[in-house]
Amino acid sequence: MSLISRRASVIELSSRVMEMATTGVYRESIFEALHPLATKKTIRLAIANAKQFGMYSIADLRDDVLGTYYQIDISQYQASKNALQSPLVPEDPAQAIQLAADVISTTRWMVRLTLFTSIFLVSMGIVCSWLEYGQLRSGLFVSAGIVWSIWHLQRRLLTRLLD
């Protein structure tokens, strides 16, 4: 099945957009060239994905009819060519929801790990107090305070993001 006989994915389109941007291309030209392969919405996603890999616009070359002028450095394009195979924007909404859930779960786990590390450091500081290791105890308590502060900051940021 050829690329024209089926709808292209965002990854395939992003790769084509970046190829076009190596010599410079206007936004409207991208839409015209890729219109047989995908919808405007999918092409917009491909452009957004390509921007994540170093494609940039040149404001001085913006045209009223043709729109934004995009370009990418050839060396940067070569370096990011393989990375383009992993999408930043999942095409399937169910994948996007699952990805968001995984990110939230992992972030909560990391915040809990920071809290447990703080508790462990305090516990070790108490043990060092009983064993009369004064300098080690002080270092552990200071470390526990720093880790607890990081945990507090992480928790507040996570709460703000999820509310």
Side-chain angles (χ1 to χ4, degrees), residues 116-130 140-141 144:
F116 293 142
T117 302
S118 177
I119 292 169
F120 175 76
L121 289 171
V122 167
S123 301
M124 293 306 296
I126 291 170
V127 169
C128 286
S129 293
W130 289 334
L140 287 168
F141 283 140

Side-chain angles (χ1 to χ4, degrees), residues 72-91:
I72 189 169
D73 182 33
I74 302 230
S75 61
Q76 193 171 10
Y77 170 65
Q78 293 298 330
S80 64
K81 205 173 190 180
N82 292 333
L84 188 60
Q85 298 306 314
S86 61
L88 295 178
V89 182
E91 294 179 47

Side-chain angles (χ1 to χ4, degrees), residues 57-76:
S57 61
I58 300 176
D60 293 342
L61 297 177
R62 179 165 174 63
D63 187 79
D64 293 334
V65 176
L66 298 174
T68 307
Y69 184 80
Y70 294 111
Q71 197 164 6
I72 189 169
D73 182 33
I74 302 230
S75 61
Q76 193 171 10

